[in-house]
Amino acid sequence: MRPDQSITEAQTSPAMMARFASSLPRAPSHAMSAGLNLAQLDAVNYVSGPCLVLAGAGSGKTRVITHKIQRLIEVGVEPQKIAAITFTNKAATEMRERAKGLIGKAAKNVVICTFHALGVRIMREDGHVLGLKPQFSILDADDVVSILKDCGSTTDSATARQWQWTISLWKNMGLNAEQAAAQAPDDNARVIARIMALYEERLTAYQSVDFDDLIGMPLKLLAEHEEVRAKWQKTLAHVLVDEYQDTNATQYEVLKHIVGERACFTAVGDDDQSIYGWRGATLDNLKRLPQDFPNLKVIKLEQNYRSTSAILRAANNVIQPNPKLFPKTLFSELGEGEPVRVVDADNEEHEAERAVARIQSIRAGTSTEGAGQYREFKDFAILYRANHMARPFEQALRRAQIPYKVSGGQSFFDKAEIKDLCAWFRLWINNDDDPAFLRSVTAPKRGIGHQTLAQLGTFATQYKLSLFEALFASSLPSAVSSRAIGSLHEFGRFVNDLEYRARHTLGKEAAMAFLTEWLKDIDYEKHLYDGEDNEKVAAARWTNVLEFCDWMAGRCGGEIDDASGAQATVSKSLLEVAQTISLISTLNEREQEQNVVTLSTLHASKGLEWPHVMLVGVNEGLLPF
């Protein structure tokens, strides 16, 4: 490819541009002043039918989506009838903020959420059609593994996780246990299909769903129940889908049923950026759009606002051999820029040393890239194929005393042991929190088995009660054995007692004493050691528990400056602190940007940008994989 080929091919004669511009709907003044290019304007102004926006990397797709929301409102679509669907909560938050900057308070009425959050909304409103109560429980990955271990009669978490992955893939393909068994290619798959059948029974009995059900069940509702489908087609007048190339087969079917024959939607995606095939994403969804919607308008965004020509030329050369659904060539007007460098290394440690040396030389201004400008640590990213590759780079950065963060690392509040304790707190605060009930009653186990919980779940559903309410129902003995009744009542009284005591426990010392006694009462330390083959891992998890309790107790009492500037002691009850736990657990997502080098996988870095990026571990068999 010639160095200037991508730019040359993107240029068009002034006469052609004039004809193209005149064919567009008259653009509102806000769009013209927002600095949108002609292709972006075309995408924003086309509001009358199905639209596919092929947005190359860095081509301003979020700007197009937010301006299109504004345009839809201008042409008379009510904000609450517009849905913008993203793939992560972070992307949804960013889009909501940018929409707010354009349309102000109306942004809060626009449905901006993930596919899964939309699924929850559909099921909360209409899940009763499938026999699901509005307060159904959403199980996290740890809950699922625990249930699968029970269904498959194993104590091996690794095996249960493999089952979980397979079942998840089947669900994303739209298969239930019976269909999966019919298609099973070998004995192992048939075994997993049988476990899936047992797993589905448990979910129904527990009035619970897993992450994949948040797409699969809304599809069942929309596909099989005409009144539900008609309601949601009326509720959402225009649907915008971000990262469309990452949708799986089930998500595409949900979209089709929501938009119906009217087909007012905008899909924004790029076949060159499809990197989630391993979790069910399929490019078939891009292929099917022109077939399912013959009047589909296709608009290409090819101008990149993120990278220099040198980087785009390298990217285009790598991408060019890929089979193309919609050929395009990215171009940039940001200048030639620094060339892409390829650096050899003897081994992982040598590679890490060279990466650190490069950061130091750029910061010191001794390299051509660093000349004439000061770079902070946050301007650098080291990207790799898989998480395990971070270790030598962490060691090299620590030796050089360079601060860093590993992007995508597990949050403290995502650790299973912390989620266990938080489930108890949630149950004290809200007895109707069924996911918290299920986690609390089994972590640690209290002699209450899955059959008892299934019977309790069936009874609670029949009488429209939460699981905790059902414990004390006078007719429960008709549904559960007398021996199980005793265990259930004992658990219910224990929770009520803890809630009462937590409400009246004030100050740091009292809170720490309460938490210590509670952990001893439920024998949580033994529960952790019994659940781990490795004592060191169990000890680390117990240390996390103690650290968490110390932190919780610390929030129950402390000193602050009062209005006069003097020190005053404040005391909060443990229950008051527990009530803020859901807010506290998300604080790590709202941390201010730190001045540190970022270590991240390629997948986690998607859509982000830094002035200096090092791609490491570029070895055949690893990258490319």
Side-chain angles (χ1 to χ4, degrees):
M1 183 196 290
R2 298 191 314 274
D4 61 341
Q5 185 178 353
S6 62
I7 296 177
T8 303
E9 289 177 348
Q11 291 172 341
T12 315
S13 72
M16 285 179 66
M17 281 295 192
R19 285 200 301 275
F20 176 61
S22 66
S23 70
L24 292 173
R26 181 169 294 277
S29 58
H30 78 265
M32 297 300 287
S33 64
L36 298 173
N37 63 39
L38 286 172
Q40 290 173 331
L41 276 171
D42 198 10
V44 166
N45 286 316
Y46 184 73
V47 296
S48 57
C51 180
L52 172 61
V53 180
L54 292 164
S59 60
K61 66 182 177 65
T62 306
R63 179 190 288 186
V64 166
I65 292 171
T66 50
H67 276 83
K68 188 152 190 175
I69 292 171
Q70 182 181 21
R71 182 69 176 131
L72 287 164
I73 293 171
E74 286 176 347
V75 298
V77 181
E78 297 173 64
Q80 63 270 25
K81 291 193 172 186
I82 301 170
I85 304 174
T86 68
F87 271 78
T88 65
N89 290 321
K90 187 175 181 182
T93 301
E94 180 191 347
M95 193 173 289
R96 195 173 292 109
E97 287 302 312
R98 289 174 70 167
K100 189 177 176 183
L102 278 176
I103 59 178
K105 291 180 180 178
K108 70 180 181 182
N109 296 322
V110 179
V111 181
I112 301 177
C113 63
T114 64
F115 256 112
H116 293 87
L118 180 64
V120 171
R121 180 173 170 180
I122 292 171
M123 288 161 65
R124 294 277 187 224
E125 291 190 27
D126 297 302
H128 60 88
V129 176
L130 299 178
L132 205 61
K133 62 180 181 180
Q135 299 84 16
F136 62 83
S137 308
I138 302 171
L139 304 180
D140 63 23
D142 290 332
D143 296 327
V144 171
V145 167
S146 179
I147 294 173
L148 286 174
K149 283 162 73 174
D150 205 21
C151 292
S153 302
T154 183
T155 56
D156 183 35
S157 295
T159 302
R161 285 194 188 94
Q162 287 298 323
W163 296 340
Q164 182 186 15
W165 275 95
T166 303
I167 290 170
S168 176
L169 198 59
W170 285 340
K171 284 191 173 188
N172 284 327
M173 291 165 64
L175 303 177
N176 58 27
E178 188 179 345
Q179 292 164 329
Q183 296 183 20
D186 53 41
D187 287 342
N188 183 52
R190 280 186 279 275
V191 168
I192 299 174
R194 283 199 295 273
I195 292 168
M196 183 179 180
L198 294 171
Y199 172 63
E200 287 177 347
E201 287 176 12
R202 301 276 168 87
L203 291 185
T204 301
Y206 294 170
Q207 280 287 295
S208 300
V209 300
D210 63 21
F211 201 58
D212 299 308
D213 290 330
L214 300 181
I215 307 297
M217 284 190 168
L219 174 57
K220 188 177 177 68
L221 277 167
L222 294 166
E224 298 178 7
H225 300 277
E226 189 177 345
E227 71 285 2
V228 175
R229 184 167 64 251
K231 169 190 167 181
W232 284 97
Q233 288 178 359
K234 186 178 178 182
T235 300
L236 299 177
H238 197 106
V239 180
L240 302 103
V241 182
D242 191 14
E243 305 286 11
Y244 178 76
Q245 76 282 349
D246 293 334
T247 55
N248 59 41
T250 313
Q251 289 164 333
Y252 177 63
E253 290 300 322
V254 169
L255 174 67
K256 271 182 65 180
H257 282 94
I258 288 177
V259 301
E261 292 182 8
R262 188 180 69 251
C264 285
F265 69 87
T266 304
V268 182
D270 178 13
D271 51 336
D272 285 331
Q273 295 184 66
S274 180
I275 60 173
Y276 287 107
W278 51 274
R279 71 177 187 196
T282 172
L283 285 179
D284 286 345
N285 291 352
L286 272 169
K287 289 179 188 172
R288 288 175 61 187
L289 271 182
Q291 298 163 6
D292 293 345
F293 302 96
N295 60 335
L296 180 76
K297 184 177 179 69
V298 180
I299 300 167
K300 297 181 184 180
L301 304 185
E302 296 178 295
Q303 181 169 356
N304 177 288
Y305 293 93
R306 181 182 292 156
S307 305
T308 58
S309 295
I311 290 171
L312 284 185
R313 201 159 51 245
N316 283 331
N317 278 328
V318 170
I319 294 168
Q320 206 169 31
N322 291 349
K324 298 286 184 184
L325 292 175
F326 302 96
K328 64 185 176 310
T329 304
L330 296 180
F331 70 95
S332 170
E333 294 180 354
L334 297 178
E336 178 62 16
E338 289 287 326
V340 175
R341 289 174 170 79
V342 179
V343 181
D344 285 336
D346 298 334
N347 51 43
E348 292 175 348
E349 288 72 24
H350 185 216
E351 184 178 38
E353 288 167 10
R354 295 200 74 166
V356 169
R358 180 137 193 83
I359 292 171
Q360 291 171 322
S361 69
I362 292 173
R363 274 179 45 83
T366 55
S367 75
T368 54
E369 287 181 77
Q373 56 185 320
Y374 175 72
R375 288 298 186 193
E376 297 184 276
F377 289 122
K378 67 182 180 183
D379 294 333
F380 297 88
I382 298 173
L383 308 181
Y384 35 77
R385 175 72 177 76
N387 280 310
H388 68 84
M389 298 169 68
R391 187 177 179 84
F393 296 93
E394 288 190 72
Q395 291 171 335
L397 289 165
R398 282 200 298 268
R399 278 197 301 271
Q401 297 185 319
I402 293 176
Y404 68 90
K405 68 175 179 182
V406 181
S407 182
Q410 189 183 38
S411 158
F412 185 73
F413 287 90
D414 284 337
K415 296 181 187 296
E417 58 272 22
I418 306 305
K419 289 169 91 170
D420 284 347
L421 304 191
C422 287
W424 283 83
F425 298 155
R426 284 163 45 202
L427 192 59
W428 300 347
I429 296 156
N430 175 18
N431 290 161
D432 293 335
D433 188 334
D434 283 355
F437 178 93
L438 286 169
R439 189 151 195 148
S440 304
V441 81
T442 55
K445 290 187 175 178
R446 312 184 63 81
I448 300 170
H450 74 267
Q451 287 185 332
T452 299
L453 290 174
Q455 291 165 350
L456 180 68
T458 303
F459 176 84
T461 304
Q462 183 181 352
Y463 292 99
K464 294 183 171 57
L465 302 170
S466 70
L467 293 172
F468 192 85
E469 279 181 305
L471 293 184
F472 302 106
S474 58
S475 52
L476 183 62
S478 64
V480 179
S481 71
S482 57
R483 181 182 170 190
I485 287 282
S487 298
L488 290 171
H489 282 175
E490 183 186 347
F491 175 73
R493 285 192 294 269
F494 184 52
V495 170
N496 281 335
D497 180 58
L498 288 171
E499 185 270 330
Y500 176 82
R501 288 166 55 201
R503 187 183 300 279
H504 295 89
T505 297
L506 298 171
K508 180 176 181 177
E509 288 184 14
M512 195 64 204
F514 172 93
L515 292 169
T516 303
E517 184 185 347
W518 165 54
L519 290 173
K520 191 175 178 181
D521 284 345
I522 64 174
D523 216 356
Y524 193 73
E525 184 178 9
K526 183 177 184 296
H527 166 70
L528 290 181
Y529 276 89
D530 287 347
E532 290 288 350
D533 296 329
N534 189 322
E535 273 199 27
K536 286 185 178 178
V537 174
R541 293 182 66 190
W542 178 242
T543 300
N544 289 337
V545 168
L546 296 178
E547 181 185 330
F548 178 66
C549 289
D550 187 57
W551 178 79
M552 283 286 291
R555 296 184 69 85
C556 291
E559 292 187 332
I560 60 166
D561 293 328
D562 66 15
S564 65
Q567 290 279 297
T569 302
V570 293
S571 288
K572 290 183 179 178
S573 76
L574 188 58
L575 198 68
E576 283 180 279
V577 173
Q579 284 173 327
T580 65
I581 205 73
S582 60
L583 289 175
I584 295 166
S585 65
T586 58
L587 286 180
N588 61 306
E589 296 175 12
R590 300 187 180 187
E591 287 175 356
Q592 291 187 342
E593 187 181 45
Q594 298 167 295
N595 186 24
V596 295
V597 173
T598 298
L599 300 180
S600 173
T601 62
L602 289 168
H603 288 85
S605 72
K606 192 168 186 288
L608 304 178
E609 56 187 74
W610 298 267
H612 298 277
V613 176
M614 278 160 271
L615 195 55
V616 300
V618 183
N619 293 31
E620 190 67 40
L622 188 60
L623 186 67
F625 180 57

